[in-house]
Amino acid sequence: MNELNRPLPSSVLKAGSIGAGLLLWHAVAVYVVNDPSLLVSPIVVLRTAYDMLFVTGELYPHLFASSWIFFYGFFLAILAGVPLGFVMALSPLVRDYVNPWMATLYTTPRIAFAPILLLWFGIGGGSKVAIVFLGCGFPILINSFCGMRAVNRDYVGLARSFRLKPWALFVKILLPASVPFILAGIRLAIGRGLTGVAIAEWFGATEGLGYLVFFAGQTLNVPILFVGVTAFAVLGVLGFELVRRFETYVTPWKKEAQGG
């Protein structure tokens, strides 16, 4: 739908959706459940988060620990997943060789790998980064592969008829056409990577948002539990928004094609 035909701006609708969700959460916590050991109001969560950020400062070490684990695993997954996806799309030999391993590793729950990775890499950062890498790598790999395979073959044939060199064909046609698929895979990887952070920090960690959530759950500290969950949600939303803005910048033709 064109933006001009909408009765309200998109930003107003989004703000209204968030506000309605928070009001519903508050109403359920205060008037329906009415038990702070089970559910607390978002006002309590915000107050607790404020104290942890600006009074005690105890949230910052957890944010920093989780952030560096996520970014290392995430960027390593991009560096490995995008090129391998392209090679699989362009080489049937590589595709047939990698496909069985990709299907096996992708469908195996990541939490099953956690004890093995802890045994191999220890309880330090290496095992945690590896868990995040496994979570992020496959969505990026699969979408990069699909993006390269989905390129319009008429464009490729036309380029070859003009005797465009292979490298120029890749840079000018194959790669730009694959970018939306790659970025879609990166968006999926953000959520799976943050899930990997939570899983990784349940095993042998002493700090991090995953550790914070796990410890708060074990001690029935519901406000801190929701602070940790909310921090994960905020990081995910920020990641999605950054990728969306980057996509708008690198694929301006999409907006023009949609009449934006």
Side-chain angles (χ1 to χ4, degrees):
M1 182 184 295
N2 194 300
E3 295 284 343
L4 297 177
N5 296 327
R6 289 186 176 181
L8 290 173
S10 175
S11 58
V12 174
L13 291 174
K14 291 176 182 177
S17 175
I18 294 172
L22 291 174
L23 286 174
L24 178 61
W25 177 3
H26 176 77
V28 171
V30 174
Y31 301 109
V32 179
V33 178
N34 195 23
D35 185 353
S37 65
L38 296 177
L39 183 65
V40 294
S41 167
I43 297 174
V44 177
V45 176
L46 289 173
R47 188 184 304 124
T48 305
Y50 179 86
D51 290 341
M52 295 178 70
L53 283 170
F54 303 110
V55 179
T56 65
E58 61 182 298
L59 189 59
Y60 290 109
H62 299 294
L63 283 171
F64 178 76
S66 295
S67 297
W68 83 261
I69 290 171
F70 172 78
F71 283 118
Y72 271 110
F74 180 72
F75 284 113
L76 286 174
I78 293 176
L79 292 176
V82 173
L84 183 56
F86 285 170
V87 173
M88 287 177 62
L90 299 174
S91 172
L93 178 64
V94 175
R95 180 167 64 249
D96 293 339
Y97 186 82
V98 174
N99 256 332
W101 295 102
M102 181 181 70
T104 301
L105 294 173
Y106 182 62
T107 55
T108 303
R110 277 167 295 160
I111 196 169
F113 288 110
I116 300 173
L117 295 173
L118 284 169
L119 181 65
W120 288 350
F121 298 105
I123 62 173
S127 58
K128 297 175 178 59
V129 170
I131 293 173
V132 175
F133 174 82
L134 285 176
C136 296
F138 291 107
I140 296 172
L141 168 62
I142 293 170
N143 277 57
S144 300
F145 167 77
C146 292
M148 188 64 67
R149 297 286 292 177
V151 176
N152 192 321
R153 296 298 138 183
D154 292 337
Y155 297 157
V156 177
L158 182 63
R160 286 175 174 167
S161 69
F162 282 99
R163 297 183 180 180
L164 201 66
K165 294 182 179 180
W167 178 249
L169 174 65
F170 176 80
V171 172
K172 295 183 178 181
I173 295 179
L174 297 178
L175 182 59
S178 303
V179 166
F181 290 86
I182 297 170
L183 294 177
I186 288 175
R187 282 197 294 268
L188 292 172
I190 290 171
R192 292 180 62 87
L194 291 173
T195 303
V197 171
I199 293 172
E201 291 175 343
W202 289 348
F203 297 92
T206 58
E207 59 182 1
L209 293 176
Y211 167 79
L212 183 70
V213 169
F214 181 78
F215 185 76
Q218 293 295 307
T219 57
L220 301 180
N221 193 328
V222 179
I224 291 182
L225 174 65
F226 274 93
V227 167
V229 173
T230 303
F232 271 124
V234 170
L235 290 176
V237 170
L238 289 176
F240 265 60
E241 183 63 19
L242 286 174
V243 174
R244 187 191 68 80
R245 290 179 180 272
F246 180 73
E247 182 176 11
T248 302
Y249 176 75
V250 299
T251 58
W253 63 85
K254 287 184 64 180
K255 186 175 181 180
E256 294 173 2
Q258 294 169 358

